[in-house]
Amino acid sequence: LHVGGGRIVTDPIELSVQAGVPVTVSHGLGRQVAGWLVIWTDAPVSLSVPDPDADTRQELTLVPTASARVRVVLL
């Protein structure tokens, strides 16, 4: 599946997130993450990166806008 020039490269990753508390996703892709998609959530929430210039070759840090359970896939 190709999405916006990226390709889904992970299985769904389930996270429990707290509003405003950074969460780190360790993935080991060995390359910069092209992006992520939220594919499921149990509450309205969005996720953003606190540092767009961060090295994401091994892990990606996201900050949620609300507390929720989410599933994301990495591109």
Side-chain angles (χ1 to χ4, degrees), residues 43-62:
V45 62
S46 62
L47 303 167
S48 61
V49 292
D51 179 3
D53 297 322
D55 181 357
T56 62
R57 290 177 289 185
Q58 298 299 318
E59 59 187 26
L60 174 66
T61 299
L62 299 169

Side-chain angles (χ1 to χ4, degrees), residues 23-33 49 54-62 74:
V23 60
T24 300
V25 178
S26 296
H27 55 74
L29 293 176
R31 64 160 178 80
Q32 293 289 98
V33 173
V49 292
D55 181 357
T56 62
R57 290 177 289 185
Q58 298 299 318
E59 59 187 26
L60 174 66
T61 299
L62 299 169
L74 303 182

Side-chain angles (χ1 to χ4, degrees), residues 14-19 38 40-47 64-71:
E14 187 158 342
L15 304 167
S16 291
V17 297
Q18 298 290 325
V38 176
W40 178 89
T41 181
D42 69 354
V45 62
S46 62
L47 303 167
T65 58
S67 296
R69 288 186 5 221
V70 300
R71 290 185 193 127

